[in-house]
Amino acid sequence: MAVRVVVGTQWGDEGKGKYIDILAKDSDIVVRFSGGSNAGHTIVHNNICHKLHLVPSGILHPGKICIIGNGVVVDPEILIEEIKNLKRNGVNAENLLISDRAHIVMPYHKALDELQEKFRGTKSLGTTKRGIGPAYSDKAERSGIRICDLLKHDIFEKKVRDNLAVKNMIIEKVYGGKGFNAEEMIAQYRSYADTLKKYVTDVNAYLFRAIEQNKNILFEGAQATFLDLDFGTYPYVTSSNPIAGGVCTGAGIGPTYIDEVYGVLKAYTSRVGSGPFPTEQKNETGDMIRELGHEYGTTTGRPRRCGWLDMVMIRYSAMINGLTALAINHVDTIGKLERIKLCKTYEIGGKEVSRIPADIEELALCKPVYEEFEGWGDISHIRQYKDLPDNAKVYLSRIQELAGVEIKMIGVGSSREQTITVR
Ligand code: GDP
Ligand code: IMO
Ligand code: MG
């Protein structure tokens, strides 16, 4: 049996979906444990580009069980649409299981996400407006509605009415927005319940049995370490714990069951939304990386901010997640530049710093100290490590050395096949 976890080491969109799809081949079960439809995981297979937000990225392998764990906030409307889309692309999602303990995203969460962002004005967080923050707030505040409630009409109806009494007041009186009609919402969610009920189960009991039966389980991280509510660049973070530790609370797995933790990174850095980004290139280099890497958000279509790879961040991620391996993507993209910079440490007020400060004002003052490398041209056709150009090998071995973690997989393109496994 192997229990493996895949997490993002930067600000998301590192290409986690692609590696989940690859690792799912020798897994029995693939589990999402945090986040919601704010995630956008791209998998390119047989020339079809699948964009998944809630369904685990193992779904493209027939027969694999795909689980949405209790730590996920589920937007039923988006989930049902996604299942339909998969079907249209010839993918059967009947092996999907949804935890009865997962919280659901309600229309008032999405409205509040939008209104709160508007209210923040120039200080907006740049959220995906998918209702994620408000849904996790309600979970912590104990007014959240769970999947198990959705399936019990009378309980669901009462919870919606109780919540709307307060939410409508906040939406209308505080933000000047338009409140919701309880009857319409109840009817709409009743139809969602009818569609989704066949997928709902006690996922934790299912996973306990799977562990006892020595199944191979793969946990799919969404978001990333620097978007983590506790360890990211707070408040410019998401509202969950996407780090490896999130598996324990988001799927009900004890830490001693985890065997391997893969940290996915890009050979550069990207970020969507606001917040500090020490190696950001707000110049032609950043524009070039964005165009070469097609860096536009999977969920919102926003152009991603781009910059050099920051090894202070990766070392921090290695520690926070207990990484046992690195999986690096877009080595093809960055190699197309003539000169490449890699941030080794930071400098503040003449002092060298190699840690991530809690205070984001301080992080914004950190000046990257760079090492320089030469590019290596097109490598998208290469499938074996030994065939990589020397310049690429030099860059990769320096990353490995600075991270203190071995690189096990190298991405040279977006498809499953464009991956080099390092033996
Ligand atoms: P995720 O959220 O971590 O799953 O990543 P996204 O799917 O949001 O963004 C990653 C993007 O990079 C997608 O468009 C992928 O198709 C693409 N991609 C992944 N790996 C590689 C790679 O090695 N090279 C190139 N050129 N593109 C890649
Ligand atoms: P994947 O799984 C990149 C960012 C948003 C915003 C912040 C808070 O595809 O890597 P939220 O809607 O979560 O309240 O927004 O977090 N964000 C992501 N950025 N990839 C993601 O997921 C993200 N999920 C959230 O852009 O800055
Ligand atoms: Mg993404």
Side-chain angles (χ1 to χ4, degrees):
M1 178 192 78
V3 175
R4 297 179 293 182
V5 181
V6 174
V7 291
T9 58
Q10 297 163 312
W11 278 294
D13 304 325
E14 298 90 349
K16 298 175 290 293
K18 185 181 79 169
Y19 285 121
I20 297 289
D21 172 56
I22 291 167
L23 294 170
K25 192 167 161 271
D26 9 282
S27 306
D28 302 298
I29 304 169
V30 183
V31 192
R32 268 282 302 270
F33 59 90
S34 71
S37 63
N38 48 348
H41 297 176
T42 317
I43 308 164
V44 183
H45 185 49
N46 286 342
N47 288 326
I48 300 176
C49 180
H50 301 271
K51 293 183 177 191
L52 300 173
H53 302 286
L54 278 164
V55 174
S57 304
I59 203 76
L60 302 194
H61 294 270
K64 308 292 176 186
I65 302 293
C66 288
I67 294 182
I68 296 178
N70 60 279
V72 176
V73 287
V74 180
D75 183 329
E77 186 185 0
I78 293 183
L79 179 59
I80 291 167
E81 189 53 37
E82 202 164 306
I83 295 170
K84 277 192 199 149
N85 265 340
L86 282 165
K87 228 177 235 165
R88 271 195 284 271
N89 283 324
V91 180
N92 180 348
E94 293 313 296
N95 281 343
L96 181 69
L97 299 177
I98 307 170
S99 170
D100 49 5
R101 288 181 163 86
H103 281 246
I104 51 180
V105 175
M106 301 295 294
Y108 50 79
H109 291 137
K110 290 188 262 193
L112 281 167
D113 198 354
E114 183 114 32
L115 290 165
Q116 286 165 350
E117 277 289 86
K118 207 163 140 200
F119 186 78
R120 289 180 191 119
T122 54
K123 295 193 189 97
S124 76
L125 304 177
T127 74
T128 58
K129 299 187 181 154
R130 296 294 183 102
I132 305 301
Y136 278 115
S137 298
D138 277 4
K139 176 176 177 175
E141 195 247 353
R142 292 153 295 179
S143 60
I145 304 182
R146 298 189 293 167
I147 294 279
C148 57
D149 305 322
L150 179 66
L151 301 190
K152 291 207 171 130
H153 289 342
D154 47 342
I155 291 179
F156 182 73
E157 198 173 320
K158 185 172 178 327
K159 291 201 174 201
V160 170
R161 287 187 199 286
D162 286 351
N163 279 352
L164 271 187
V166 182
K167 301 294 180 194
N168 274 348
M169 213 140 48
I170 298 173
I171 290 170
E172 288 166 2
K173 303 235 157 69
V174 177
Y175 293 108
K178 192 174 174 303
F180 290 89
N181 175 291
E183 312 309 321
E184 278 173 25
M185 195 178 289
I186 291 163
Q188 186 187 30
Y189 273 66
R190 222 167 243 180
S191 89
Y192 297 153
D194 290 342
T195 310
L196 293 178
K197 67 178 176 229
K198 65 176 177 186
Y199 303 110
V200 177
T201 191
D202 180 346
V203 156
N204 304 91
Y206 185 91
L207 283 173
F208 291 152
R209 264 199 314 279
I211 286 174
E212 275 169 6
Q213 292 165 357
N214 288 324
K215 300 270 189 203
N216 292 317
I217 309 174
L218 181 62
F219 287 95
E220 170 173 3
Q223 289 77 51
T225 307
F226 284 83
L227 290 172
D228 185 275
L229 186 56
D230 287 86
F231 298 102
T233 45
Y234 190 90
Y236 298 100
V237 292
T238 192
S239 300
S240 66
N241 288 113
I243 57 165
V247 167
C248 301
T249 52
I253 293 289
T256 48
Y257 291 115
I258 298 171
D259 299 302
E260 285 182 276
V261 184
Y262 285 75
V264 185
L265 67 151
K266 276 176 178 160
Y268 48 89
T269 310
S270 73
R271 171 165 210 174
V272 243
S274 322
F277 178 173
T279 61
E280 182 171 19
Q281 298 299 300
K282 288 187 193 162
N283 51 32
E284 276 180 12
T285 306
D287 294 343
M288 211 185 311
I289 297 175
R290 183 178 311 107
E291 292 317 309
L292 288 171
H294 308 290
E295 291 295 352
Y296 294 87
T298 313
T299 302
T300 58
R302 290 176 288 176
R304 294 175 180 151
R305 299 158 62 192
C306 294
W308 301 116
L309 177 56
D310 182 338
M311 291 309 298
V312 186
M313 287 175 65
I314 305 301
R315 265 199 308 274
Y316 177 86
S317 276
M319 186 189 77
I320 297 284
N321 294 293
L323 297 184
T324 58
L326 293 178
I328 185 164
N329 276 322
H330 284 275
V331 180
D332 55 319
T333 305
I334 203 72
K336 289 177 188 149
L337 302 187
E338 247 169 68
R339 306 278 306 163
I340 299 155
K341 289 188 184 180
L342 180 68
C343 167
K344 189 179 75 163
T345 49
Y346 300 144
E347 193 215 280
I348 310 184
K351 273 197 193 146
E352 199 166 332
V353 178
S354 53
R355 52 174 278 277
I356 302 283
D359 176 357
I360 53 161
E361 307 285 336
E362 208 179 306
L363 182 62
L365 291 177
C366 286
K367 289 202 178 69
V369 178
Y370 290 115
E371 291 182 354
E372 287 207 24
F373 296 80
E374 276 176 43
W376 43 86
D378 184 17
I379 54 165
S380 54
H381 55 285
I382 293 179
R383 298 289 173 269
Q384 296 212 29
Y385 184 82
K386 66 175 176 51
D387 299 329
L388 282 174
D390 285 344
N391 284 352
K393 285 182 183 161
V394 169
Y395 185 65
L396 293 170
S397 54
R398 185 64 177 142
I399 289 169
Q400 197 164 257
E401 189 180 16
L402 288 170
V405 184
E406 275 182 27
I407 295 175
K408 287 212 178 142
M409 295 200 278
I410 300 166
V412 296
S414 54
S415 76
R416 233 184 233 179
E417 296 71 32
Q418 289 173 301
T419 304
I420 297 170
T421 306
V422 186
R423 300 196 194 277

